[in-house]
Amino acid sequence: MKKIAVFPGSFDPFTKGHEDIVNRFLPLFDEVIIAIGVNQQKKYMFSLESRKKHIETLFGNVDSVRVDTFNQLTVDYCKANKAQYLIRGIRNAVDSDYEQAIAQMNAKLADVETVFLMCNPEFAPISSSIVREIKKNNGDISKFVTNAEHLIIS
Amino acid sequence: MKKIAVFPGSFDPFTKGHEDIVNRFLPLFDEVIIAIGVNQQKKYMFSLESRKKHIETLFGNVDSVRVDTFNQLTVDYCKANKAQYLIRGIRNAVDSDYEQAIAQMNAKLADVETVFLMCNPEFAPISSSIVREIKKNNGDISKFVTNAEHLIIS
Amino acid sequence: MKKIAVFPGSFDPFTKGHEDIVNRFLPLFDEVIIAIGVNQQKKYMFSLESRKKHIETLFGNVDSVRVDTFNQLTVDYCKANKAQYLIRGIRNAVDSDYEQAIAQMNAKLADVETVFLMCNPEFAPISSSIVREIKKNNGDISKFVTNAEHLIIS
Amino acid sequence: MKKIAVFPGSFDPFTKGHEDIVNRFLPLFDEVIIAIGVNQQKKYMFSLESRKKHIETLFGNVDSVRVDTFNQLTVDYCKANKAQYLIRGIRNAVDSDYEQAIAQMNAKLADVETVFLMCNPEFAPISSSIVREIKKNNGDISKFVTNAEHLIIS
Amino acid sequence: MKKIAVFPGSFDPFTKGHEDIVNRFLPLFDEVIIAIGVNQQKKYMFSLESRKKHIETLFGNVDSVRVDTFNQLTVDYCKANKAQYLIRGIRNAVDSDYEQAIAQMNAKLADVETVFLMCNPEFAPISSSIVREIKKNNGDISKFVTNAEHLIIS
Amino acid sequence: MKKIAVFPGSFDPFTKGHEDIVNRFLPLFDEVIIAIGVNQQKKYMFSLESRKKHIETLFGNVDSVRVDTFNQLTVDYCKANKAQYLIRGIRNAVDSDYEQAIAQMNAKLADVETVFLMCNPEFAPISSSIVREIKKNNGDISKFVTNAEHLIIS
């Protein structure tokens, strides 16, 4: 059976931290689906289309990576895509408590296992929300996001 | 003197975790008031009326439990109801840091003591916000909320 | 039924933080047993006898407090003393994670509920191990331990 | 070279906790700039003008303190003011994880060092958001904010 | 290339929590080596031989599990066994901070990736040290350790 | 008045993390005393003499750094050396809770302020205890300790 993992997130934007997590998980799975969650009630900084393009460009030459969008329950999206795994990175203790609750709830909802890697120290401080804050203040986000120029403010 | 405890929250919705906390605190107090805080500026998923009904039905046959709503300072509500105690559950370390600040501030505002129980492991991952997220995506919340069918989306 | 709580610890020494926790829990229980755990393999700084005397003197005029020693499983000691509750204070997030595991394990072992108070901010930094470190270096521990002169180094 | 530190925040309101942090940092720096961050998209409870006046009054007789507002990237504001340091207080573990990420990101963006003090236990539970909650419910915030009467709801 | 994972620990004793982690990781790897670390300077409660037998019995009919002992650097043991992965469970925030440092250090020492699962809530409170404490006090550890009768006190 | 800071620790060994903390604190103080605490009851991996030499060599050309040993209360050592400050690094949330208690206790014992920097992400996972573990297992610690060859096992 093919081992398929979903990496869910809003990726607003997809940072070097996210990129590193995907790259490190690649050898463990036959397919990794980077799935951009779309929540109608939430406002995003970067357009969905540009976020998707941005990630697709980053993994353009990696056959086992697919980029997608979804607007349903994460575990339902996994089932629809025959993915047995969710993958996530852990940055610190607060992150861990948050991710633990989500992972345990998802396991109660469906037969989906969430697998974690600890962020590389270099990328641990990077979060999409801090990156947005920098962008909003005209700061340079290229240290935290590869090919940041592909992202378009929505 | 009657020992009266207030269990404050928005209970949007009241989960099995909340239910377990109340049940475990019951033997310690003469009366437990489940007090739904109403904040005009906040939007809730479930109607206040249905949240109140939902909780009342759960504890319909427990004489020492009363369900109420309030829109004042929590410690003022306690004083108005002659409650000497607030009760809360702790799910994890992040929860603990948050609850600690609130409890210590309340103790500075009034002579009200906040008493805690650690959540039952089974219920520790459940939070109202994750439950709302599941509901929003048409997931089944009945594993996390008893008689969830009584709740009406507002 | 009398509500009986056990406050277990090695109390090496019993600090102002412990004292505050007991005093704040008193109105909630008919009896509070301060139970000094004795572990043959562990070395203590202060003699067991002086630790017991020290605590007894602190609560000499409080009828509902009893000081005892025990060298069995905490929940077995509770059962032997018909105590339905354990009581503990929480100083910070690390403390909370530690106490949570112990409380949940005790609940699995026996029908004993652990009830918590957040430490008073003033006493939150005090721990017996830091107090011992101060004592070992001839520092003044009287700011952290009431009647510290009653304690005898073993 | 003059040692200049910026204490950034929204200070909505500036609490006794903030006040204590500034006072304790004063001997370490030649100048401390209390810099109120202005974010057009965010709503504040107290008017910017009254928040500025409030802080200015508190440090009116301290020559080395200056109060300012800014609406750019924090590290850009530091550079514009030749400040080599940012200063912040840490209240608890959750705060620490949050502040750590910000500090490490700022260090990647510019040559600015963030220096921390642990909050005085007495002030550790105080946060601007809890204070606002108290104010919103007509509670007395004077225990948590010096000269609170100078603040005007916006 | 075969995907080989090492699950390192002292397993004094191997709890239901450890058992659950191994079982959940099995589908992800071709081989899982449960590797009991032996530290001459450390005292263990249960004999090494009985700990090894205990684990072997638990996974006797699982072809992809091997039980071994080692007394070298964990990453050296991985290299010697051509294992590209270490696997661990996370119980809470404190655990996460501890595991994060170890995982990041191991990644700096060698090309070994540590993969994590969040403990099942039911098993999250179980730690070998609490289980030993229970055993020391003649408590029943069978709720926390499968086939605990196979373990021999050393 | 000269600003003098003490960096206390057992430094068994002094890692690149410690080195980075000292270097980043240098511009803030007129003198930094790296003070190796000596506890007769504790066993150290590296000889006191070699630990002192090791650190002295690292800062041999930095006039404002002095290396010393002490076996008294940290705050007493500060007073004896007219140091108004203690300096420490914070690696993660667990570290923060630990350091917070020590800093607040020291502030109660004497007029000594503890100032913190967040560890550089690169060095955050490094702890002396993990480094000792690596050394004990004949691993290469040179990635974590500058001039590690100067350290002699005691």
Side-chain angles (χ1 to χ4, degrees), chain B:
Chain B
M1 195 171 55
K2 266 181 77 179
K3 282 171 199 145
I4 303 176
V6 166
F7 186 30
S10 45
F11 304 124
D12 187 33
F14 191 87
T15 68
K16 289 189 180 179
H18 296 129
E19 197 181 340
D20 182 60
I21 290 295
V22 170
N23 281 323
R24 290 163 59 201
F25 264 126
L26 279 183
L28 208 51
F29 297 100
D30 298 303
E31 184 177 2
V32 169
I33 306 171
I34 302 173
I36 310 175
V38 181
N39 181 337
Q40 304 292 16
Q41 282 138 305
K42 241 167 112 181
K43 286 192 99 181
Y44 300 97
M45 175 173 243
F46 300 103
S47 79
L48 176 59
E49 198 184 359
S50 80
R51 276 182 282 149
K52 187 156 182 279
K53 279 264 169 62
H54 173 239
I55 306 173
E56 279 168 345
T57 310
L58 291 174
F59 296 96
N61 54 358
V62 185
D63 284 346
S64 60
V65 170
R66 187 156 62 89
V67 186
D68 196 7
T69 63
F70 74 108
N71 62 356
Q72 70 218 85
L73 208 52
T74 309
V75 295
D76 288 343
Y77 179 78
C78 289
K79 274 188 272 183
N81 288 271
K82 299 187 190 317
Q84 314 93 330
Y85 300 97
L86 285 161
I87 56 178
R88 298 285 293 165
I90 294 174
R91 286 173 303 177
N92 56 37
V94 172
D95 227 36
S96 179
D97 265 358
Y98 174 79
E99 295 288 345
Q100 186 176 55
I102 308 269
Q104 291 174 340
M105 291 289 274
N106 280 334
K108 286 184 185 217
L109 284 171
D111 196 22
V112 174
E113 197 67 276
T114 309
V115 186
F116 295 90
L117 288 178
M118 290 297 171
C119 289
N120 187 318
E122 186 186 349
F123 303 124
I126 307 176
S127 71
S128 293
S129 67
I130 303 183
V131 169
R132 285 197 302 275
E133 207 57 41
I134 294 169
K135 181 70 183 174
K136 214 177 291 173
N137 288 289
N138 303 312
D140 175 16
I141 66 172
S142 67
K143 278 178 184 167
F144 311 116
V145 178
T146 307
N147 296 153
E149 67 280 8
H150 290 185
L151 290 162
I152 294 164
I153 305 236
S154 62

Side-chain angles (χ1 to χ4, degrees), chain E residues 21-141:
Chain E
I21 290 295
V22 170
N23 282 323
R24 289 162 60 199
F25 265 126
L26 280 183
L28 208 52
F29 297 101
D30 299 302
E31 184 177 3
V32 169
I33 306 171
I34 302 172
I36 310 174
V38 180
N39 180 337
Q40 303 293 14
Q41 283 139 301
K42 240 168 113 181
K43 285 194 101 181
Y44 300 97
M45 177 172 243
F46 299 103
S47 79
L48 176 58
E49 199 184 358
S50 79
R51 275 182 282 151
K52 188 158 181 278
K53 279 264 169 63
H54 174 239
I55 306 172
E56 280 168 348
T57 309
L58 291 175
F59 296 96
N61 54 359
V62 184
D63 284 348
S64 61
V65 171
R66 187 156 62 89
V67 187
D68 197 7
T69 63
F70 75 108
N71 61 357
Q72 70 219 83
L73 208 54
T74 308
V75 294
D76 288 343
Y77 179 78
C78 289
K79 275 187 271 183
N81 287 273
K82 299 187 192 316
Q84 313 93 329
Y85 299 97
L86 284 161
I87 55 177
R88 299 285 293 166
I90 294 175
R91 287 173 301 177
N92 54 37
V94 172
D95 228 35
S96 178
D97 265 357
Y98 174 79
E99 295 289 343
Q100 186 177 54
I102 307 269
Q104 291 173 340
M105 291 289 274
N106 280 334
K108 287 186 185 215
L109 283 170
D111 196 21
V112 174
E113 197 67 275
T114 309
V115 186
F116 295 90
L117 289 176
M118 291 295 170
C119 289
N120 188 318
E122 185 186 353
F123 303 124
I126 306 176
S127 71
S128 293
S129 67
I130 302 183
V131 169
R132 285 197 302 275
E133 206 58 39
I134 295 169
K135 182 69 183 175
K136 215 177 289 172
N137 287 291
N138 303 310
D140 175 16
I141 65 171

Side-chain angles (χ1 to χ4, degrees), chain D:
Chain D
M1 195 171 54
K2 266 181 76 178
K3 282 172 198 144
I4 304 176
V6 167
F7 186 30
S10 45
F11 304 124
D12 187 32
F14 190 87
T15 69
K16 289 190 180 179
H18 297 128
E19 197 181 340
D20 181 60
I21 289 296
V22 170
N23 281 322
R24 290 162 60 200
F25 264 126
L26 281 183
L28 209 51
F29 297 100
D30 299 302
E31 184 177 3
V32 169
I33 306 171
I34 302 173
I36 310 175
V38 180
N39 181 337
Q40 304 293 15
Q41 283 138 304
K42 243 168 112 180
K43 286 193 99 180
Y44 299 98
M45 176 172 242
F46 300 102
S47 79
L48 176 58
E49 199 184 358
S50 79
R51 276 182 282 150
K52 189 158 180 280
K53 279 263 171 62
H54 174 239
I55 305 173
E56 280 169 346
T57 309
L58 291 175
F59 296 96
N61 54 357
V62 185
D63 284 346
S64 60
V65 170
R66 186 155 62 89
V67 187
D68 196 7
T69 62
F70 74 108
N71 61 357
Q72 69 218 86
L73 207 53
T74 309
V75 295
D76 288 343
Y77 178 79
C78 289
K79 275 187 273 183
N81 286 273
K82 298 189 192 317
Q84 314 92 329
Y85 299 96
L86 285 161
I87 56 177
R88 298 285 292 165
I90 294 175
R91 287 173 302 177
N92 55 36
V94 171
D95 227 34
S96 178
D97 265 358
Y98 174 79
E99 295 288 345
Q100 186 177 54
I102 307 271
Q104 291 173 340
M105 291 289 274
N106 280 335
K108 286 184 186 218
L109 284 171
D111 197 20
V112 175
E113 197 68 274
T114 310
V115 186
F116 296 90
L117 288 177
M118 291 296 170
C119 289
N120 187 317
E122 186 185 350
F123 303 124
I126 306 176
S127 71
S128 293
S129 67
I130 302 183
V131 170
R132 285 196 303 273
E133 206 58 41
I134 294 168
K135 182 70 183 172
K136 214 177 291 173
N137 288 289
N138 304 311
D140 175 16
I141 66 171
S142 67
K143 279 180 182 164
F144 312 116
V145 179
T146 307
N147 296 152
E149 67 280 8
H150 290 186
L151 290 162
I152 296 165
I153 304 235
S154 62

